[in-house]
Amino acid sequence: MQGDLLLKYVRSSTGRPPKAAGPRQWLAALVALVRERIGEQWSRSIGAEAERRGKCVYYLSMEFLPGRLLIHALRNLDLYESCRETLAEHGVDLSVVAELEPDPALGNGGLGRLAACLLDSMANLGLPAYGYGIRYDCGLFAQEMVDGWQVERPDPWLRYGNPWEIPRGDLVYPVGFGGRLVDHGAAERPRYDWTGSDEILAVAYDLPVPGFQSQRLNTLRLWSPGAAHELDLRSFNEGNHAGAFSRKNAIESLSQVLYPGDASPAGRELRFKQEYFFVSASVQDILRRFRRSGRPLECLPDDIVIQINDTHPSLAIAELMRLLLDRHHLDWEQAWHLTRRSFAYTNHTLMPEALETWPLQYFEKLLPRHLQLIYEINDRFLRGVARRCPNDGALVRRLSLIDEEGERRVRMAHLAIAGSRRVNGVSKIHTSLMQRTTFADFAALFPGKIVNVTNGISFRRWLHEANPELVALIRSRIGDRWLSQPDELAALAPHADDPAFRTAFRAVKQRNKLRLAELVASDCGISIDPNSLFDVHIKRIHEYKRQLLKLLHVVALYDRLRRDASLPISRTVVFSGKAAPGYAMAKLTLKLIHDVALRVNADPAVAGRLKLVFIPDYGVRKAQVIVPAADLSEQISTAGHEASGTGNMKLALNGALTVGTLDGANIEIREAVGEENFFCFGATIEEVAKLRAEGYDPWRHYHGNAELRAVLDLIASGHFSPSAPDLFKPVVERLTSGGDPYLVLADFASYVSCQEHVEANYLDADDWTRRAVLNTAGLAKFSSDHAVRRYAELIWNAGAREERAVPAFTAAE
Ligand code: 26V
């Protein structure tokens, strides 16, 4: 039945008979089939009726990493098997067709993937929600490795179009930059007009976000820039062809690229414009939909909540104020009262260099009205502070929305906190650090405002889709209610004691390892042994994530194995991840991984016992192959630096044991799976703080640990780079005379001894599997469904309309 329908779609959507259809035509037909099935549901979900049922959540994010949709949707709709069979009858492999779907890489890492997992869960739980972001023409760069050096290539993911998206020519908003302010009001009640700005248009493109077997289909709405008069026709007709296109090009540059991470210096002003562009369009769209409901503006915070994913969309706070004041003519107290109750802000990092601030200059030039509003917000806010804490000028300076030192800048986190109903961190320890350190003054001022919602991951994506064999095995024992009720995954724990279950679990892992071995063979041309321990470090390349610590361990192992031919070790170390293009140390680390790999993999003295591979172009697609195959998950950030981590959850859910520091969500994962099933090492947050306070000296470790010294000397000597012997000196210098800012050397001894433990444990394959099962079962609470429920209860007050009369306005702080 579904098969016939599919054949019909091949004809109607590609104009070819099935016999003549190639994989791209099959893809088009499959997408048409799914779209037909979900179209009805989608229009019902976005219909006014559905929205009136509960609060609507708007999730604003500069990044989304949704992954491919086809297999996800086929499984959700229970069409997977029938479609696979129909294709097979025509000699076509569904997995080959699925590979043709673009993987939207509209994000850098965890923050973007979290946005996608939360959207997935909101749909799954039937919560009305919209994701808002930018439709970047090129997502995060494609990573190519040339002789171990990262080369960034554009990723024109829309080259063949995006089969899922629906252009919404009916949803277009003007967004202005520049111009000046004119006061139209009376002296005691000024009213500003922002005039003369250069207006561009924001055009909506919608993508479906299907829930798992739920009736709800949410929308990811991405904005693309256009201009009212894209082409200056007169100029064109006068022969100025290049000039006529220049405005069009300038406008299009707004969505051309995603900024590849915090360490990249380029394009700051463009990034600022991107932030305002998507935020302005989104807030206008939110207000339009709200106005359509016919409810008075006073009810805005009862009907909507705008969750901002880090500070990147925090200009939305000033934008809502602008619209409420200048367009809807509310007075300041009303507008601020509504705004503060409509927003919530999630913080994802406390690293000072990633806490956004924008020069006042940018505002003066591009957003003069917003600057004026931010001054006013700040003024009122600081007067409130001074009233509560008189004579504390230092406190006022610390809390100010404006950093007055050096080039004056707006502190976006302060704007986000002042303008939100709640602020949340993404793991218990991260939230506690927010409260105790970076935002301690705010925590004291607004007790209870900073709350914790530990991150979660979509089990549909990271188990159901990535690891279907494991899902089948789990189903055979505990059914499949856990897919919609993730807590029920905990029922798997007793099966860890069943030898037959362990054998089956191990067999699944083994097949996943074979699949990864195939990927490594095709991507890297290296053959790896699926019987070895698969030791996996996959994430953005950053010094705090300490790829270097892992690498020093690899070199130490290499040295040990060369000296001792009888050491019973068999390990394959897998790295994958991208470096920000402007981050020299990260790129040199990649080169070092490559050069060490060349040496190690070619040395007969360690053959069969140690392999090192780097899989290029990490993204959701590759992660879905690597994660199910891992035995050991490396989560080794310097304690206090990884806000949460979500890769740690994906790997543990798929039955990897973690070797990790007491950082981010590792702490909660360890609690959930049991200390005995987690390899913990390294300095704690308190110890890190103490070491730094005492004046940390990496040389002490260099001189005090012969193995560490030998490893560093080997790297510095040019052993791994004979044709350029000084190449890696900057790495070794960074870890020694450079002060070793992320305490790699301080944790080396503890890490190596922990890894000895890992090796000894891995020799008992059956017991290792028992613990792997306990990891899978223990991860139940890290489902993003759970996280969304907490957001709904603690922050959004969603699920039901707030049972409250229209609020009386009180004088705002
Ligand atoms: C900052 C900037 C600054 C301008 C250029 C582009 C850019 C991109 C990202 C960032 C901040 C990144 C913050 C981030 O990704 N944090 C990660 O969030 C994950 C989800 O909560 C969490 O699991 C990770 O631990 C955390 O590092």
Side-chain angles (χ1 to χ4, degrees), residues 24 38 42 258 269 367 401 507 525:
R24 222 164 259 293
I38 63 179
W42 203 0
L258 158 83
E269 186 175 311
L367 300 176
L401 270 53

Side-chain angles (χ1 to χ4, degrees), residues 63 108 110-111 261-262 271 312 348 426 455 544 642-646:
E63 306 189 14
N108 280 292
L111 175 143
D262 36 19
R271 165 128 178 142
H312 319 148
H348 295 271
V426 289
N455 283 166
Y544 87 78
E642 192 68 88
S644 161
T646 45

Side-chain angles (χ1 to χ4, degrees), residues 140-433:
L140 185 61
F141 62 87
Q143 179 193 52
E144 220 173 89
M145 301 307 290
V146 178
D147 189 29
W149 294 106
Q150 170 177 294
V151 177
E152 300 93 26
R153 306 251 183 249
D155 165 35
W157 69 292
L158 292 166
R159 191 176 22 207
Y160 304 109
N162 177 357
W164 298 106
E165 78 180 3
I166 300 184
R168 298 292 306 266
D170 54 325
L171 286 178
V172 178
Y173 298 96
V175 179
F177 291 100
R180 62 205 159 78
L181 298 176
V182 179
D183 182 357
H184 278 310
E188 68 283 3
R189 198 181 159 90
R191 258 198 41 213
Y192 290 96
D193 248 359
W194 177 22
T195 62
S197 65
D198 185 15
E199 271 189 359
I200 60 175
L201 300 177
V203 185
Y205 288 77
D206 285 353
L207 294 173
V209 181
F212 178 72
Q213 294 170 353
S214 92
Q215 288 309 302
R216 179 95 216 155
L217 218 123
N218 283 333
T219 302
L220 172 56
R221 179 158 292 167
L222 302 178
W223 300 106
S224 191
H229 308 288
E230 288 192 347
L231 192 61
D232 181 347
L233 257 191
R234 208 176 67 184
S235 182
F236 187 84
N237 290 335
E238 283 165 3
N240 180 12
H241 296 171
F245 278 103
S246 68
R247 179 171 149 75
K248 179 169 155 55
N249 290 344
I251 288 166
E252 284 176 355
S253 73
L254 253 183
S255 68
Q256 232 147 46
V257 290
L258 158 83
Y259 281 96
D262 36 19
S264 153
R268 300 285 296 157
E269 186 175 311
L270 192 54
R271 165 128 178 142
F272 180 72
K273 289 176 78 172
Q274 284 185 331
E275 291 185 357
Y276 180 63
F277 166 72
F278 104 94
V279 144
S280 172
S282 307
V283 175
Q284 291 183 65
D285 196 42
I286 292 167
L287 278 183
R288 176 197 58 87
R289 189 171 307 105
F290 174 77
R291 299 295 283 174
R292 228 180 36 189
S293 75
R295 303 241 300 161
L297 267 178
E298 284 81 350
C299 297
L300 187 71
D302 300 336
D303 291 9
I304 70 144
V305 61
I306 304 176
Q307 185 73 41
I308 56 175
N309 200 19
D310 217 290
T311 56
H312 319 148
S314 55
L315 284 169
I317 292 167
E319 178 68 355
L320 182 60
M321 283 298 284
R322 181 180 77 84
L323 295 173
L324 293 179
L325 292 169
D326 299 354
R327 234 180 244 177
H328 298 283
H329 309 301
L330 297 194
D331 63 32
W332 182 277
E333 279 76 19
Q334 285 177 322
W336 184 237
H337 186 75
L338 295 180
T339 300
R340 279 191 55 217
R341 289 174 53 227
S342 296
F343 280 95
Y345 153 55
T346 307
N347 173 280
H348 295 271
T349 179
L350 294 176
M351 307 258 295
E353 61 272 35
L355 286 177
E356 266 190 320
T357 60
W358 288 116
L360 292 190
Q361 258 184 29
Y362 287 12
F363 283 90
E364 282 158 4
K365 178 172 147 199
L366 298 164
L367 300 176
R369 179 63 176 137
H370 298 78
L371 180 58
Q372 195 182 36
L373 294 170
I374 288 171
Y375 278 146
E376 180 82 28
I377 294 170
N378 196 33
D379 199 47
R380 289 171 182 252
F381 169 58
L382 293 182
R383 270 191 278 142
V385 172
R387 269 198 304 278
R388 284 181 53 176
C389 312
N391 308 323
D392 196 346
L395 176 71
V396 168
R397 270 193 301 284
R398 287 200 305 273
L399 284 168
S400 176
L401 270 53
I402 314 286
D403 182 355
E404 304 281 352
E405 266 168 43
E407 182 196 25
R408 297 173 72 221
R409 305 172 76 94
V410 179
R411 293 163 164 156
M412 302 312 279
H414 292 207
L415 172 63
I417 299 174
S420 291
R421 58 194 288 152
R422 286 274 187 286
V423 175
N424 78 287
V426 289
S427 71
K428 282 185 188 160
I429 190 70
H430 167 65
T431 301
S432 151
L433 284 173

